[in-house]
Amino acid sequence: MVDLNVNNKVAVITGGTRGLGLDCAEAYVLNGASTVVITSRKADACKESKEYLEKIAKENGKSVKIISIPADLTKEDQAVDFFNQVAKQVEKVDILVANAGATWGASLEDHPVSAIKKVLDLNIASVFHSIQLFTPLLSKAGTFEDPARIIIMSSVASLISSEPVGTYGYLASKAGVSHLGKNLAVQLGPRNITVNSLAPGFFPTKMSKGLISAAGDMMIESNPRKRLGQKQDIQNAVLFLSAKESNYINGIVLPIDGGSYLSGAFVPSSSKL
Ligand SMILES: NC(=O)c1ccc[n+]([C@@H]2O[C@H](COP(=O)([O-])OP(=O)(O)OC[C@H]3O[C@@H](n4cnc5c(N)ncnc54)[C@H](OP(=O)(O)O)[C@@H]3O)[C@@H](O)[C@H]2O)c1
């Protein structure tokens, strides 16, 4: 019998207040975590999501501490402050999900360079900074049998080179951050920390809603599995990569997309963000 769980583990999820990050937090709450830390910029969202996670923990008879701290992770001082606040409350961190991310879509002619810089800053530089800050606490948690985990939320956008919407910074950032993950996997493996990336296809969230409302039917039609991603898809994948059973998996980029990127029909050429 295989029982995938994160029993007694401490998990930190950046961008954990909604969308895929909140899905990951929920998976940890329901599968044995002792402490789940979430963060995002908006204090209201942090409060609401903490209450939501506490509610589902109670409904499912789970004893788990939820810590929720607002921070803009693109601001170096706020990222450091977030880390210091976490470090005051936990002695080690078993799992870091570097999930906070953003996108921007516009044609080449109309694409502001400032948007490229903003996307790269959050999707790569702040992922690097979060990992840099948390590595000492991850080192404390990891053992040879059950290493600590860094899970980077990349995208199937990291695996494609053609999309018609003009998400130039997003594609580059996700390819870059997946590669960062491989580099760190080699470096941190001997320190009992594995680094893997998830590469979701289209999941309905605030980030993807514009594209899905414009082209959702076409995305489903062109997907070999004939549907969009669902909460359970991301939860099953993140739980597997966090459980002791996956301790020998290091440096992968795992597509969770029903095979959509292989079909070559990622999004229709008429869609606009
Ligand atoms: N949805 C998809 O189809 C899809 C597909 C592939 C990959 N992904 C990736 O999955 C991750 C989550 O995406 P999502 O779809 O769940 O997006 P989302 O619903 O927009 O959630 C993004 C999260 O990141 C937080 N965030 C944004 N900017 C931040 C900042 N500067 N500092 C700290 N937190 C920040 C947001 O909260 P605040 O606004 O309060 O800061 C929110 O909690 C992203 O990395 C995205 O690229 C998504």
Side-chain angles (χ1 to χ4, degrees), residues 3 6 27 36 38 56 92-93 108 111-112 119 139 151 203-204 209 222 228 237 249 254:
D3 168 24
V6 287
V36 172
I38 55 171
I56 60 156
K92 48 140 199 165
V93 170
L108 182 62
H111 209 108
V119 167
S139 271
I151 298 173
F203 284 68
K209 74 174 180 217
S222 63
L228 300 173
I249 296 179
L254 177 66

Side-chain angles (χ1 to χ4, degrees), residues 14-23 39-43 45-46 71-75 98-103 122-123 126 153-157 170 173-174 198-209 212 234:
T14 71
T17 57
R18 65 169 191 256
L20 302 187
L22 185 59
D23 293 343
T39 181
S40 81
R41 288 166 301 178
K42 298 185 190 88
C46 282
D72 182 342
L73 296 177
T74 61
K75 308 269 190 292
N99 163 79
T103 188
L122 178 61
N123 294 8
S126 75
M153 197 63 78
S154 183
S155 166
V156 288
Y170 189 74
S173 73
K174 292 302 182 180
L198 295 177
F202 286 106
F203 284 68
T205 65
K206 187 173 179 193
M207 177 188 288
S208 61
K209 74 174 180 217
I212 288 176
I234 206 81

